[in-house]
């Protein structure tokens, strides 16, 4: 039985006009039925966004369908995006992150790249670099039998997209856009590629991703640039389409060529790719842990040069990977809100949670840049254990027990959330039951693991997961294979 198509809306620059775009979405759904998601490229926020945004951020208003947005394209809107690896900005509005792949439970694969092409080094926080594009490509091209992605989201147009194609009107595609985006599109072979920023609508003729008579036929790509929401020229800013994930399609149906198909506009790039392709250095490799293919494949194959296989170097000798952009939790980062810091150890520190569930809701965080407990070196892990023991003693002296949880999914820096609960309010069994019951309601498989087991025994580096630990040592674990509610731990508590 063929998979049911997903109904998707794509949108150009919103520029903070939230009422305009969501009002239009509601009107379309009232007339044509429900859509599964809204994908926004370009500038989601504008210079006058705050008033409208406050209503959505506080929950007074809610987006009508799940909405996924790209990050800042200028310094003025950076503050709206607190986590470079992506986060939930408001109910039903999710920031995808700096770069990566979003894989829904349907199998739909959406590759994304936030920002504009950097014109200087190091790249500003609202820009992407050659390294960003190389790492995104590497993460996908390493997948066995990779054929392409379903959708690619970028804010800039790809340079030269108009080659061999219908006219883009006033936009000169030989000068407009990003060469790095062209390189990314040539490599990832998206079935749909959406972009914005030029305040113009342009639907390019579909182009092929193979060389006729020289390569096996492949699917075509449709590039669509969208105008800004509510523009006075009434240029198209919203695009509706249906798509069956590539993974669920009949191969013969997938590679059918429409009559108006053109040559690939990036043909020159494709020819040059084998010459310029180079492996990432060992120092760059850890950055790939910041995004996952949440459908089937996690991580990448280790280098086959034999160095890692014979390496007997102890784990603590490894340096923590460097963040790919501004990190809100690396202690050395200027983004850290240091007035919240309670205690600083040798390898970890303790901080009050911003927006905590209780006044004494705290976070245990590594000083260096680690993504999850599984990635910690032995001495960092030892200090985490000491902090947990100290917190248990402290909270018990106050008539409380703590609940600790970690969500290694859509997060860049390890955050162990520690929330105290009054001893006379509920037992540890009550807390476990609350987590398991709510997990079942949301079809989340939350398993109890042995008290004295190490989380590294059930989770590999790079694997998305959620786990809960009580101060009794009892632990619950869920391996994340698709989507996961970002606020699950907070909601249960």
């Amino acid at each position: 039985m063929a998979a049911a198509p997903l109904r998707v809306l794509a949108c150009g620059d919103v520029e903070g006009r939230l009422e305009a775009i969501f009002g239009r979405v509601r009107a379309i759904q009232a007339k044509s039925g429900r859509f599964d998601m809204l994908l926004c490229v370009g500038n989601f926020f504008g210079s006058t966004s705050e008033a409208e945004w406050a209503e959505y951020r506080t929950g007074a208003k809610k987006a009508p369908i799940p909405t996924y947005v790209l990050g800042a394209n200028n310094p003025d809107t950076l503050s709206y995006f607190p986590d470079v690896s992506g986060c939930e900005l408001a109910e039903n509005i999710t920031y995808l992150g700096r770069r990566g792949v979003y894989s829904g439970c349907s199998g739909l694969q959406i590759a994304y790249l936030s920002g504009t092409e950097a014109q200087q080094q190091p790249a500003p926080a609202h820009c992407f670099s050659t390294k960003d594009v190389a790492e995104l490509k590497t993460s996908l091209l390493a997948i066995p039998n990779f054929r392409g992605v379903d959708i690619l989201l970028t804010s800039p147009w790809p340079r030269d997209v108009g080659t061999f194609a219908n006219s883009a009107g006033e936009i000169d595609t030989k000068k407009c856009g990003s060469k790095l985006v062209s390189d990314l599109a040539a490599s990832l072979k998206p079935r749909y590629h959406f972009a914005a920023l030029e305040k113009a609508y342009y639907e390019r003729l579909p182009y092929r991703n193979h060389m006729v008579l020289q390569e096996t036929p492949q699917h075509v790509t449709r590039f669509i640039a969208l105008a800004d929401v509510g523009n006075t020229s009434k240029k198209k800013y919203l695009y509706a389409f249906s798509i069956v994930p590539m993974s669920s399609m009949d191969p013969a149906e997938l590679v059918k060529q429409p009559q108006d198909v053109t040559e690939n506009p990036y043909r020159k790039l494709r020819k040059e790719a084998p010459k310029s392709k180079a492996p990432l250095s060992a120092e760059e490799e850890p950055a790939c842990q910041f995004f996952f293919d949440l459908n089937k494949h996690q991580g990448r194959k280790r280098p086959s040069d034999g160095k890692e296989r014979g390496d007997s170097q102890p784990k603590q000798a490894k340096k923590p990977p460097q963040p790919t952009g501004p990190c809100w939790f690396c202690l050395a980062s200027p983004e850290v809100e240091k007035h919240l810091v309670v205690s600083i150890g040798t390898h970890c520190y303790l901080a009050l949670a911003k927006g905590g569930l209780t006044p004494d809701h705290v976070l245990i965080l590594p000083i260096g840049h680690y993504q999850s407990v599984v990635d910690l070196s032995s001495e960092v892990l030892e200090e985490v254990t000491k902090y947990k023991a100290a917190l248990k003693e402290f909270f018990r002296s106050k008539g409380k027990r703590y609940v600790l949880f970690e969500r290694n999914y859509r997060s860049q820096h390890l955050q162990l959330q520690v929330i105290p609960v009054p001893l006379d309010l509920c037992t540890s069994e009550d807390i476990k039951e609350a987590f398991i019951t709510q997990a079942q309601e949301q079809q989340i498989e939350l398993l109890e693991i042995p008290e004295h087991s190490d989380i590294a025994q059930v989770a590999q580096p790079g694997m998305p997961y959620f786990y809960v630990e009580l101060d009794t040592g009892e632990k619950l674990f869920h391996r994340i294979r698709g989507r996961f509610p970002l606020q699950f731990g907070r909601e249960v508590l």
Side-chain angles (χ1 to χ4, degrees), residues 21 273 292 359 371 416 451:
I21 183 59
F292 314 100
Q371 188 186 347
L416 292 175
E451 289 180 25

Side-chain angles (χ1 to χ4, degrees), residues 85 99 286-292 321-324 369 371 411-412:
S85 61
R99 68 185 186 286
C288 294
Q289 69 182 307
F290 299 141
F291 46 83
F292 314 100
Q322 296 303 304
T324 55
H369 192 79
Q371 188 186 347
S411 59
Q412 183 191 20

Side-chain angles (χ1 to χ4, degrees), residues 68-125:
Y68 300 90
V69 309
L70 294 182
N73 297 297
N74 56 70
D76 298 337
T77 56
L78 274 172
S79 59
Y80 289 102
F81 304 97
D83 189 342
V84 71
S85 61
C87 57
E88 190 175 70
L89 301 177
E91 187 174 2
N92 255 6
I93 302 176
T94 300
Y95 163 46
L96 287 167
R98 184 184 181 93
R99 68 185 186 286
V101 181
Y102 171 81
S103 296
C105 55
S106 64
L108 189 74
Q109 277 202 322
I110 304 172
Y112 55 88
L113 181 68
S114 290
T116 56
E117 183 173 339
Q119 302 301 312
Q120 63 190 67
Q121 293 298 329

Side-chain angles (χ1 to χ4, degrees), residues 302-323:
R302 289 185 176 276
S304 57
D305 56 11
K307 290 180 182 177
E308 299 221 0
R309 194 171 300 169
D311 189 0
S312 60
Q313 192 174 11
K315 186 175 182 180
Q316 58 262 38
K318 287 176 65 178
K319 290 183 179 180
Q322 296 303 304

Side-chain angles (χ1 to χ4, degrees), residues 447-484:
L447 303 173
E448 189 162 0
I449 59 176
E451 289 180 25
H452 302 292
S453 62
D454 186 341
I455 196 72
Q457 293 174 260
V458 291
Q460 299 297 317
M463 176 194 292
Y465 64 82
F466 174 84
Y467 100 96
V468 184
E469 182 178 324
L470 306 183
D471 68 358
T472 57
E474 297 168 282
K475 299 182 183 76
L476 300 171
F477 176 84
H478 169 65
R479 178 180 177 180
I480 300 172
R481 299 177 186 275
R483 295 178 64 181
F484 184 81

Side-chain angles (χ1 to χ4, degrees), residues 12-13 157 168-171 195-203 223-228 231 235-237:
D13 305 89
W157 290 30
E170 297 176 357
I171 306 297
L197 296 184
E198 299 300 329
K199 301 188 183 301
Y201 168 70
Y202 174 51
E203 184 169 0
F223 172 76
I224 297 110
L226 294 162
D228 49 319
N231 66 85
K235 295 174 183 176
K236 188 169 182 174
Y237 61 83

